Amino acid sequence: MRLRTSLLPTAALCLAVAAPAFAAAPDQGPRGPLYAGAVAPMNQTVETRLLPQTAVLLEKLLAEKRDMTLDGVKVFEADDKFLPGKIAIGLAYLVVDTPRTDPNFDRYLAAYRQIADLTVDDTNDTWGVYYYCQALLMLREAGVLDQAVSPETLARLKVKLDWRRFVRESDLTLINLPNNYYGVAFSVARLRYRLGWEDASASEGLLGKTLDHYRKYSGDYGFADETDGDGRFDRYSVLLIGEIAHRLIEAGMPATPEVRQWLRRSVDLMLPRLNLRGEGFEYGRSIGAYGETAFLEVLTAAAKLDVLTPEEKTMAYAFSSRVAARYMDFWFDPKMGSVDMWEHGRRTDAYRGKHRILGENLSLGRQYIYTSAIWNELGFKDKAPDPGYAAWLDRLPKRTVTWFARGENDRLVVTIRDKGRVIGLPIINGGESQHMNTPYYPIPFSPGMLQGVADGVFPQLLPRLTLADGAQLAPLAYAAHVKVAGKGARTVVTYDQDRLDRLGQKAPVADDRFSVRTTYVLEPGRIRRTDVFTPKAGVTVKAVDLAFASFSTKAVTRGGETRFGAGEVTGFDVQGLTCATRPLDDGKAYRGPTGAMTALTSCTGGAPAGGPITVSWTLTYR
């Protein structure tokens, strides 16, 4: 993919383009800048800001090789199982984009050959296999594969870069991997076919398997269940069809009407969530920077496949330009020389830990590079984002309900727009590994105001019951009979759970000693939740607790009433429990994706013997 810009400008040019081409508003705490006015065209951000920083990283790699250290991490000793593939694709962009007349061209080819020899025996799994295959195809199409990779190393790569390492060849089932890896397997098989390493049968079979599985577990609503029908619908559930679409685009294969229909449903979820800041998903795992590129990938694929109307395409580009600007203004830390998802109060999922710092820079960078290239192909190169974007946002629906599944358990997300703020209420929590973690709670989320903590298990905005036998129960995984009623700016969401989730196990454990009726009322500037828990006869409750980790400060708490003197949240009133609030000093247990929470309100209480337990809270915000 020719970028038509030098990936490695001089050091002086790197310094010259370090500042944004269009100034954003001053940083606003954990939310980052507001791009209310003009913002740079996406390709200009990528070419003049992101690519030079990527070039600095790659030059550092070429100079230090196995000894490379990035912000204190020895990258080759950090157990990043995708790293060789990400290095291969990053260096491939460098080689392909450098003019043959450039004095550095031969040096890059020689360096590629050396790095390939150096890493050929390193662990390189799944996504890393895909990246490496894509890199080799880029080099071959540029006519330099034989110069960039030695025959001996290429022969070894042909054996190692194989979808059969994570898919059973007999029945094309994944080996202990979540369902989004079907798309990875298809992509690897298709790339192997295009490289001449195998025929097309495996890629065709894996594409059929991918679509069959998507069809089976997306049900009537067209969103992929992350589990085999246990009901977990998160960022990946919306992104997966975008990834599939991009792999089809890369392979030069047509998208079927069914794929386009699924892609449109993801678009319909995303459009009412667009905003002036370039913020993406606020719930589920792997959010933060990746929550924003999820929007970028889906909307770009939809634009390429003509799934968007002309107006939607224009506005999707305006949003994409903001996502790109936000990456450099908010996520990239010049002092670290890296994207920052781990420091300065930020926290991401353990599997995306800082040990993957080099790989995360390269894979995130690649997402911006190839989506920007698509927008360029669609006629948006150097085009200023539409100045009517903010007014278009104001016309978006104030309430959107997106269903993922209905039946024994209901799964959906309610999206509320309140004066430019996007609030999501996801009821999406089922299956093993994530049910107990706060980013999957059925609670309201809003960037910079209401967030969860990756892998965090405290009772954020959700009552937790401790029974006399020590069991802890929470209303997490068994929502049913969900109803959403709206009148004007007021939205009421109600649902039942005839069982609670007994915490402590990897997967939800149903405990029918309690049932619960939950009611949310969302109004401008105000959210109220009420839970009425009903016990079976003879069940004794030892304690009830609830927490609210927030970004507000200057808290004063009396009984169950808390007032904040500064921050987005102004009040948090709890009925049924007694609360206390303390400031937080960047404790790792209370770090959100975008920054550290600043106050923790902890609420506790007893329970009436044998009777219903009612816990209610009301949250007010600016």
Side-chain angles (χ1 to χ4, degrees):
M1 183 182 293
R2 185 72 176 165
L3 300 176
R4 296 180 176 84
T5 182
S6 176
L7 185 61
L8 281 182
T10 64
L13 181 56
C14 285
L15 292 174
V17 301
F22 290 74
D27 185 271
Q28 297 187 20
R31 294 199 69 185
L34 177 72
Y35 302 101
V39 65
M42 184 179 181
N43 71 292
Q44 291 184 12
T45 297
V46 170
E47 293 174 10
T48 67
R49 302 183 66 197
L50 185 148
L51 285 173
Q53 295 292 352
T54 302
V56 171
L57 283 177
L58 293 173
E59 283 284 24
K60 183 176 175 64
L61 168 66
L62 297 183
E64 300 177 10
K65 298 183 177 65
R66 283 280 185 200
D67 296 324
M68 182 179 179
T69 300
L70 184 57
D71 201 48
V73 176
K74 294 182 177 180
V75 298
F76 282 100
E77 299 177 13
D79 191 31
D80 182 346
K81 61 184 180 180
F82 310 137
L83 186 58
K86 292 182 178 181
I87 289 173
I89 194 74
L91 290 175
Y93 279 118
L94 186 153
V95 170
V96 170
D97 193 55
T98 301
R100 305 296 177 91
T101 56
D102 191 309
N104 284 314
F105 181 73
D106 289 338
R107 180 170 71 91
Y108 298 154
L109 278 178
Y112 202 105
R113 194 179 186 101
Q114 188 175 10
I115 294 295
D117 292 344
L118 184 71
T119 61
V120 68
D121 290 323
D122 291 0
T123 299
N124 186 44
D125 295 339
T126 58
W127 278 105
V129 173
Y130 161 71
Y131 288 129
Y132 217 132
C133 288
Q134 185 70 47
L136 296 179
L137 183 64
M138 287 172 61
L139 294 170
R140 196 189 72 172
E141 290 180 341
V144 296
L145 178 57
D146 292 341
Q147 298 165 269
V149 183
S150 70
E152 297 80 12
T153 295
L154 187 61
R156 294 168 70 182
L157 289 171
K158 181 177 178 180
V159 174
K160 293 193 65 172
L161 303 177
D162 199 330
W163 54 270
R164 297 167 184 85
R165 295 177 58 198
F166 56 98
V167 175
R168 300 175 185 92
E169 187 173 7
S170 59
D171 61 359
L172 300 183
T173 57
L174 293 168
I175 302 172
N176 300 322
L177 288 169
N179 296 329
N180 60 303
Y181 281 86
Y182 274 117
V184 182
F186 155 69
S187 301
V188 171
R190 193 68 183 179
L191 288 165
R192 286 178 61 86
Y193 163 67
R194 296 177 70 191
L195 286 164
W197 291 355
E198 62 182 67
D199 63 27
S201 60
S203 63
E204 291 168 355
L206 282 164
L207 177 58
K209 187 74 173 180
T210 300
L211 298 181
D212 285 346
H213 196 279
Y214 197 102
R215 190 179 299 113
K216 179 178 179 180
Y217 291 110
S218 66
D220 296 331
Y221 298 101
F223 295 94
D225 190 338
E226 265 286 279
T227 67
D228 288 343
D230 292 328
R232 185 172 80 225
F233 294 89
D234 56 14
R235 160 186 172 268
Y236 287 100
S237 303
V238 184
L239 170 61
L240 180 55
I241 193 59
E243 290 184 344
I244 292 171
H246 276 292
R247 303 300 84 84
L248 292 172
I249 293 167
E250 290 171 356
M253 299 175 69
T256 66
E258 189 176 38
V259 168
R260 293 162 61 87
Q261 182 183 46
W262 288 331
L263 185 61
R264 180 68 218 191
R265 289 180 177 178
S266 287
V267 166
D268 288 340
L269 181 146
M270 288 183 170
L271 288 180
R273 294 170 152 263
L274 300 193
N275 53 79
L276 289 171
R277 297 177 187 268
E279 295 165 327
F281 279 105
E282 74 284 0
Y283 65 90
R285 66 190 172 107
S286 196
I287 54 174
Y290 281 96
E292 293 159 14
T293 58
F295 275 58
L296 182 64
E297 289 194 282
V298 168
L299 293 174
T300 304
K304 176 69 174 177
L305 296 176
D306 289 324
V307 172
L308 304 179
T309 68
E311 182 183 47
E312 289 171 344
K313 187 179 294 187
T314 298
M315 299 309 164
Y317 169 72
F319 179 73
S320 298
S321 295
R322 286 168 168 81
V323 173
R326 177 177 171 84
Y327 181 71
M328 296 308 302
D329 291 336
F330 184 69
W331 291 109
F332 190 86
D333 186 335
K335 293 181 180 178
M336 291 174 62
S338 168
V339 64
D340 177 19
M341 298 187 288
W342 314 278
E343 303 296 343
H344 307 104
R346 295 174 180 176
R347 174 168 163 169
T348 191
D349 305 79
Y351 72 91
R352 281 202 191 277
K354 195 176 178 182
H355 65 286
R356 287 170 54 169
I357 184 171
L358 176 59
E360 298 300 353
N361 278 276
L362 295 175
S363 59
L364 279 165
R366 178 182 178 272
Q367 291 182 28
Y368 286 98
I369 291 168
Y370 84 76
T371 53
S372 179
I374 291 173
W375 284 113
N376 289 350
E377 293 169 5
L378 294 173
F380 288 88
K381 181 177 174 61
D382 295 324
K383 188 172 182 179
D386 194 296
Y389 175 68
W392 178 81
L393 291 178
D394 289 339
R395 296 194 297 271
L396 289 173
K398 305 306 180 188
R399 176 192 314 106
T400 307
V401 181
T402 305
W403 287 93
F404 301 131
R406 299 180 91 162
E408 179 182 0
N409 297 124
D410 294 340
R411 304 288 186 247
L412 70 157
V413 62
V414 181
T415 302
I416 302 294
R417 298 186 68 88
D418 185 5
K419 297 178 181 177
R421 176 176 294 285
V422 176
I423 299 172
L425 175 58
I427 303 173
I428 46 95
N429 190 345
E432 66 177 29
S433 81
Q434 294 289 342
H435 67 108
M436 63 290 192
N437 293 338
T438 57
Y440 283 81
Y441 284 7
I443 59 175
F445 293 86
S446 186
M449 183 174 80
L450 304 172
Q451 291 186 346
V453 173
D455 304 319
V457 296
F458 63 98
Q460 174 79 326
L461 293 175
L462 187 119
R464 179 174 61 187
L465 311 182
T466 301
L467 305 190
D469 63 1
Q472 289 192 319
L473 311 182
L476 290 174
Y478 302 103
H481 313 120
V482 178
K483 295 181 179 179
V484 182
K487 185 176 182 181
R490 189 172 191 261
T491 302
V492 179
V493 181
T494 59
Y495 58 95
D496 303 314
Q497 297 186 67
D498 58 7
R499 300 159 292 171
L500 300 189
D501 186 351
R502 190 190 313 152
L503 304 178
Q505 300 298 318
K506 186 175 182 180
V509 176
D511 194 314
D512 66 358
R513 286 179 286 180
F514 267 91
S515 61
V516 63
R517 172 76 167 177
T518 300
T519 302
Y520 276 106
V521 180
L522 299 98
E523 301 172 289
R526 172 187 166 103
I527 306 170
R528 181 177 179 85
R529 172 178 172 137
T530 302
D531 290 287
V532 180
F533 297 92
T534 302
K536 283 189 171 181
V539 177
T540 302
V541 175
K542 183 178 180 180
V544 181
D545 65 334
L546 178 145
F548 174 41
S550 75
F551 296 96
S552 292
T553 57
K554 300 180 181 178
V556 176
T557 300
R558 294 185 178 86
E561 297 183 0
T562 301
R563 295 290 176 269
F564 295 98
E568 298 284 333
V569 176
T570 58
F572 182 61
D573 298 342
V574 180
Q575 294 79 45
L577 304 173
T578 299
C579 304
T581 303
R582 64 179 177 88
L584 295 171
D585 186 18
D586 191 18
K588 288 188 177 181
Y590 300 102
R591 287 182 171 185
T594 60
M597 298 170 184
T598 52
L600 177 67
T601 301
S602 300
C603 304
T604 59
I613 301 169
T614 299
V615 177
S616 182
W617 55 255
T618 302
L619 184 148
T620 54
Y621 58 90
R622 299 185 194 281

